[in-house]
Amino acid sequence: MAQNKTKSAKQTKSTNYRPYIKGFWILFLGGIASIVLIFLLASWGVFGKLPTFEELENPESNLATEILSSDGKTLGKFYNENRTPVKYEDLPQNLIDAVVATEDRRFYEHSGIDMRGTARAVAFLGSKGGASTITQQLAKLLFSDTPSSKFERVLQKVKEWIIAARLERQYTKQEIITMYLNKQDFLFQAVGIRSASKIYFDKEPIELRPEESAIIAGMLKNPRQYNPYREISKDKSLERRNTVLALMAETDKITETQRDSLIAMPMKINFSPEGHADGIATYFREYLRAFMSDWIEQNPKGVDADGNEEYYNIYRDGLVITTTVDSRMQRYAEEAVTAHMENLQREFDRQNERNKTAPFRDISEEEETSILNRAMRNSDRWRKMTARDIPVEQIKASFDKETDMRVFVWKDGAKEIDTVMTPRDSILYYKRFLRAGLLSMTPQTGEVKAWVGGINYKHFQYDHVKTGKRQVGSTFKPFLYATAIDQLHLSPCDTIPNIPYCIPAGEMGTQKDWCPENSSGGYGGMVTLKSALANSINTVSARLMHRVGPRPVIDLIEKLGVDTENIPAVPSIALGTADLSLFEMVSAYSAFANKGVHVEPQIVSTIVDKNGTILYQSIPQAKDVISQESAYVTVNLMEGVTQYGSGARLRSGAINSSVYKNVITGHPYMFKNPIAGKTGTTQNQSDGWFMGMVPNLVSGVWVGGDDRSVHFPSITYGQGATMALPIWAVFMKKCYADEDLKISKEDFEKPENLSIRVDCSISSEEDEGVEVPDELDF
């Protein structure tokens, strides 16, 4: 009886578990059903739109437009996000191994979701790592916005799983990891693996060494916390790199010996920022931006669904612009400008120490005030405060309040320093700096090879190649001489009296007698045409101008690509009173080296879209301007400038005068090859020019102050041969030292059947058939 009671109690007790078991299975199966339902609802778009098949095939992405040099180097980019995608084959295996070992060890085994990793993350509440696969991280990068709540984050995670599964069905593992690396933001405008490789190591991804790949793979966890450039995170970046190397050893991607060797290496980066004001060819890139704006407007991409024209966007369409600029020549040009301008500025500052109106000369207090007021009104400070409707008097007062600022200095090359000064004082501070421009071009093709618009783009953004126009001085004289040669068949050996000469009032638009003086003050005797140009004798220029007239000279330079709208047809243009840009001058001079044929300057070779389709290909525009004979004779005249004229220091040895030793940068130059050139110096030494040519390269240099009143006190230092010629010489020495550039050292090509005598050392009997004129009668 007691036994039966005990058995009955046990049975009763056993039957009491059934509701719990039933409840467990209901909860378990209900939970699974709920999860399945959530995934189904998410896949149907109930919780937000999911990408379509087409969007997965072509995910939205901001792709930077890349600017390439003619030798295939990246000059810079236009971007909202500095992203330039690479292909899988452009990634080194050591980088792939580092990323997989660190981020997703079973990447090649799962189909987008790592269930083992998920179970581990749930069991240990994430303390032993998360569960996101590389594919899930890519899904998050491609299509998910930042959640504003925990609930939204859960839904986002669900969508990431769905998208990851779809990505795995549509892409290979190689494509997924490539997309993942192309989408990552590594800070400092390094969006994507190619930008990261270029910015942190100054190399292409395929060139990355294992220890460098480990640094990049380490940043994937947190690019700010493990950044190798930030001072505060360098130690953490090193530790993270070593962790990645250890994980690579654990997964047998490197040996333990390799791991130990790599961990022992110091962490090295070569930080090369790619901001719009960083890198080389900054002034050129800014001009290119304007060029592209015009090109885009004239070349629509197509028509959208509503019938409206669509246009390319250089900040997100991933165009590739191949320019004519050679990265090596561009770097040599910038180095030459920096080297000479630092020397020249040091002397300029020394000579201004006792100048009470420094940095200005020869102006009144009223003129100085006018300069400062104009600079204030053109400043960013004035524009921004005006936009906020701040009263003018309050704006003016702000220019006299000290503020923290970072300013440019010449010190071991261009650098910056932190200081405190008033905005008004900063205007004066920047006015004291001499500016410079250099342009180099291949005359036969019109290809621009180097473009330096100033001394530092970040602090001096005004471009002195294309935008700036200044008086050209005696560099204009070859145009006058070329016109005379073309019209009158003159020879370099013709002789002209070097005596004062006047064009009477009323002739050629003159209001009074025009009687230019020689800058040297010397007169007398007979001079050859070649010697007259070599020494910039103004009286000879006056005689030539009186003979040919100003209008034919203006017609010539217009054919040579010069904007002549504001150049008056008066005799004084013979001495270079016209304001021209360096771009116009180099373009015009190029026709002399190209046998009288002018080729329009070219800055872009091709424009290609992100799919490799060629959108634009340059076609040189050429036209005959003067005869081959006239061009050659003009070049021969300009060779005299570098043989015994104002440019002779290109060939001379040591400088005897102590006056010049510190500012003729790079001297002695000792060039032996044929060089045609012309120096130019304007009134009060406000502008110094040098134009130099060899058969396959024409280069021009301008140096001067931002205002014409900023100049040297005398022509000793203010002449073109001192201010500008050294930049040309240093640039050319560097170009010649690089034999791969193939810069010519040959003679200028002599026309067949030359009828004008150019060798003044021979007589008519020795050179029959060549015209030997008598003394010119004008």
Side-chain angles (χ1 to χ4, degrees):
M1 186 72 177
Q3 188 177 0
N4 289 337
K5 285 182 179 180
T6 303
K7 186 176 180 180
S8 177
K10 286 182 177 179
Q11 288 175 343
T12 303
K13 189 174 182 180
S14 175
T15 56
N16 289 338
Y17 281 109
R18 289 178 181 174
Y20 297 105
I21 294 171
K22 184 179 179 180
F24 168 77
W25 282 109
I26 290 173
L27 288 173
F28 178 74
L29 294 175
I32 292 176
S34 297
I35 292 173
V36 171
L37 179 62
I38 288 172
F39 273 90
L40 282 173
L41 292 173
S43 65
W44 294 336
V46 173
F47 302 130
K49 183 177 178 290
L50 288 176
T52 63
F53 176 83
E54 289 75 16
E55 289 171 327
L56 288 175
E57 286 291 331
N58 301 284
E60 287 287 331
S61 186
N62 285 320
L63 300 181
T65 288
E66 187 170 18
I67 306 165
L68 298 180
S69 65
S70 60
D71 54 320
K73 302 297 182 182
T74 300
L75 295 176
K77 298 176 184 178
F78 299 131
Y79 58 83
N80 291 327
E81 290 183 345
N82 184 16
R83 186 199 319 278
T84 303
V86 297
K87 299 178 181 178
Y88 181 81
E89 53 265 31
D90 296 323
L91 300 174
Q93 188 60 46
N94 60 55
L95 177 62
I96 300 297
D97 293 340
V99 172
V100 172
T102 308
E103 295 294 309
D104 188 358
R105 194 172 293 190
R106 284 180 291 278
F107 175 65
Y108 295 105
E109 301 168 16
H110 61 69
S111 297
I113 311 298
D114 183 1
M115 300 311 299
R116 287 171 58 186
T118 301
R120 183 192 66 238
V122 172
F124 294 96
L125 300 178
S127 63
K128 292 193 175 183
S132 286
T133 64
I134 287 175
T135 316
Q136 286 175 269
Q137 292 180 56
L138 173 61
K140 181 179 179 181
L141 288 170
L142 284 174
F143 304 111
S144 296
D145 298 324
T146 302
S148 58
S149 66
K150 291 183 178 180
F151 177 72
E152 284 189 9
R153 177 58 189 143
V154 171
L155 292 180
Q156 183 191 62
K157 198 71 178 176
V158 171
K159 289 192 283 186
E160 286 173 14
W161 279 34
I162 295 169
I163 296 169
R166 292 182 179 181
L167 287 170
E168 289 277 350
R169 289 199 301 268
Q170 291 183 222
Y171 293 100
T172 66
K173 292 290 186 180
Q174 290 85 354
E175 289 171 328
I176 287 171
I177 199 167
T178 303
M179 291 171 66
Y180 172 63
L181 289 171
N182 280 331
K183 284 293 292 183
Q184 284 289 343
D185 187 344
F186 296 89
L187 301 187
F188 297 108
Q189 290 87 42
V191 183
I193 182 59
R194 186 163 186 265
S195 293
S197 179
K198 293 286 288 182
I199 287 174
Y200 289 107
F201 301 104
D202 195 23
K203 57 176 64 175
E204 295 293 335
I206 197 68
E207 300 171 329
L208 290 171
R209 297 169 58 85
E211 67 275 15
E212 295 167 337
S213 291
I215 292 173
I216 287 179
M219 278 195 282
L220 292 171
K221 184 175 182 180
N222 188 319
R224 182 171 297 278
Q225 186 175 357
Y226 300 109
N227 194 282
Y229 178 70
R230 297 175 70 234
E231 200 65 41
I232 196 172
S233 59
K234 282 184 178 179
D235 291 341
K236 287 185 177 180
S237 180
L238 177 61
E239 291 175 9
R240 182 67 179 161
R241 181 203 72 171
N242 293 342
T243 298
V244 173
L245 292 170
L247 291 171
M248 291 176 72
E250 282 183 23
T251 53
D252 297 324
K253 298 305 180 183
I254 58 175
T255 66
E256 291 186 0
T257 302
Q258 288 175 315
R259 175 200 62 192
D260 295 340
S261 175
L262 292 170
I263 286 176
M265 296 178 65
M267 187 174 69
K268 292 182 179 179
I269 66 170
N270 183 8
F271 190 69
S272 305
E274 290 187 347
H276 297 304
D278 298 312
I280 65 172
T282 46
Y283 291 91
F284 171 77
R285 280 151 44 195
E286 193 56 36
Y287 177 72
L288 179 63
R289 192 195 306 271
F291 172 92
M292 288 302 299
S293 178
D294 292 340
W295 180 85
I296 286 170
E297 187 175 339
Q298 297 167 16
N299 296 271
K301 183 191 295 187
V303 179
D304 63 17
D306 298 324
N308 300 315
E309 284 188 328
E310 287 187 300
Y311 293 91
Y312 290 99
N313 187 322
I314 62 172
Y315 304 106
R316 56 171 296 137
D317 280 352
L319 304 178
V320 177
I321 307 169
T322 301
T323 70
T324 61
V325 168
D326 186 289
S327 68
R328 297 158 295 184
M329 296 175 72
Q330 179 67 32
R331 185 164 278 110
Y332 300 153
E334 292 183 12
E335 290 171 352
V337 169
T338 296
H340 181 59
M341 293 307 293
E342 184 172 2
N343 283 344
L344 194 66
Q345 188 69 46
R346 189 182 303 112
E347 178 61 28
F348 186 72
D349 290 343
R350 187 189 68 79
Q351 294 191 25
N352 265 326
E353 287 176 357
R354 297 184 179 180
N355 177 17
K356 294 181 180 180
T357 59
F360 311 109
R361 291 183 183 275
D362 309 321
I363 62 173
S364 64
E365 289 185 9
E366 291 77 12
E367 289 171 317
E368 181 177 352
T369 300
S370 176
I371 291 173
L372 290 176
N373 287 337
R374 185 168 61 250
M376 287 164 56
R377 291 181 179 276
N378 290 334
S379 68
D380 288 337
R381 170 182 290 269
W382 190 286
R383 282 193 291 269
K384 290 177 180 178
M385 294 180 78
T386 300
R388 289 158 48 199
D389 295 325
I390 295 175
V392 171
E393 291 306 316
Q394 192 174 335
I395 296 175
K396 288 182 178 179
S398 74
F399 279 84
D400 294 314
K401 295 179 181 179
E402 287 191 340
T403 182
D404 294 334
M405 58 181 68
R406 193 165 180 80
V407 299
F408 172 84
V409 294
W410 280 120
K411 185 178 181 182
D412 300 326
K415 290 186 178 179
E416 296 176 312
I417 59 169
D418 292 314
T419 188
V420 176
M421 65 172 69
T422 68
R424 184 187 297 274
D425 287 340
S426 74
I427 291 174
L428 282 170
Y429 174 79
Y430 279 116
K431 288 289 185 184
R432 60 180 269 268
F433 284 99
L434 295 173
R435 319 295 172 86
L438 180 152
L439 184 70
S440 190
M441 178 176 146
T442 303
Q444 290 77 21
T445 63
E447 294 179 337
V448 170
K449 309 309 292 184
W451 178 310
V452 185
I455 57 176
N456 181 278
Y457 179 75
K458 183 176 181 180
H459 293 277
F460 307 93
Q461 295 189 0
Y462 190 78
D463 180 22
H464 289 286
V465 168
K466 191 72 167 66
T467 306
K469 292 193 174 189
R470 298 293 285 261
Q471 283 190 348
V472 294
S474 292
T475 55
F476 190 90
K477 289 177 180 176
F479 304 131
L480 168 63
Y481 279 66
T483 304
I485 291 165
D486 210 38
Q487 285 189 4
L488 308 175
H489 215 58
L490 301 182
S491 162
C493 308
D494 291 338
T495 58
I496 301 176
N498 178 19
I499 56 176
Y501 187 85
C502 294
I503 295 179
E507 292 190 25
M508 302 180 180
T510 59
Q511 300 298 316
K512 58 182 180 179
D513 291 350
W514 184 64
C515 310
E517 299 177 353
N518 291 335
S519 59
S520 65
Y523 300 92
M526 303 294 293
V527 293
T528 64
L529 211 62
K530 193 167 187 176
S531 177
L533 182 64
N535 295 288
S536 285
I537 298 177
N538 291 338
T539 57
V540 173
S541 295
R543 289 175 180 273
L544 292 176
M545 179 57 75
H546 201 185
R547 187 68 183 271
V548 302
R551 176 48 57 186
V553 180
I554 293 175
D555 290 342
L556 171 63
I557 62 173
E558 186 172 14
K559 294 176 185 176
L560 294 173
V562 174
D563 179 6
T564 61
E565 184 178 355
N566 296 317
I567 300 178
V570 294
S572 60
I573 62 171
L575 307 186
T577 56
D579 287 352
L580 303 181
S581 69
L582 187 56
F583 187 90
E584 291 174 307
M585 290 294 289
V586 173
S587 171
Y589 264 67
S590 292
F592 297 134
N594 193 34
K595 305 176 184 179
V597 178
H598 178 256
V599 182
E600 289 289 333
Q602 303 286 318
I603 65 166
V604 173
S605 299
T606 60
I607 302 172
V608 178
D609 70 11
K610 64 182 179 181
N611 300 314
T613 303
I614 297 177
L615 306 175
Y616 168 85
Q617 192 155 18
S618 67
I619 300 174
Q621 303 294 318
K623 62 179 178 182
D624 292 332
V625 176
I626 57 174
S627 69
Q628 183 177 348
E629 184 174 57
S630 296
Y632 178 77
V633 174
T634 304
V635 168
N636 180 270
L637 285 171
M638 286 190 281
E639 285 186 273
V641 173
T642 68
Q643 290 166 348
Y644 49 81
S646 55
R649 63 180 50 157
L650 289 173
R651 306 187 182 283
S652 63
I655 299 175
N656 295 323
S657 173
S658 60
V659 172
Y660 295 113
K661 283 184 179 179
N662 295 329
V663 293
I664 308 300
T665 310
H667 199 273
Y669 309 122
M670 303 300 290
F671 289 108
K672 305 295 183 184
N673 56 290
I675 298 171
K678 188 70 191 79
T679 59
T681 308
T682 62
Q683 189 175 16
N684 295 329
Q685 305 78 238
S686 294
D687 306 274
W689 293 79
F690 183 73
M691 306 294 299
M693 304 188 296
V694 296
N696 65 347
L697 195 68
V698 177
S699 306
V701 179
W702 167 87
V703 174
D706 183 46
D707 288 272
R708 297 181 196 268
S709 56
V710 178
H711 57 77
F712 278 101
S714 72
I715 201 168
T716 304
Y717 288 95
Q719 60 183 289
T722 302
M723 291 209 294
L725 179 145
I727 294 176
W728 187 94
V730 173
F731 168 63
M732 289 299 292
K733 284 183 73 173
K734 289 175 179 287
C735 288
Y736 278 128
D738 190 338
E739 295 182 358
D740 291 338
L741 294 176
K742 296 180 172 55
I743 305 302
S744 174
K745 291 185 178 181
E746 306 302 316
D747 290 324
F748 290 91
E749 186 177 343
K750 187 177 182 180
E752 294 181 6
N753 304 317
L754 181 66
S755 64
I756 298 176
R757 181 186 177 196
V758 294
D759 187 350
C760 304
S761 64
I762 62 175
S763 65
S764 59
E765 290 79 11
E766 294 173 306
D767 193 7
E768 289 187 12
V770 174
E771 181 180 346
V772 186
D774 296 324
E775 176 185 323
L776 293 178
D777 185 21
F778 61 82

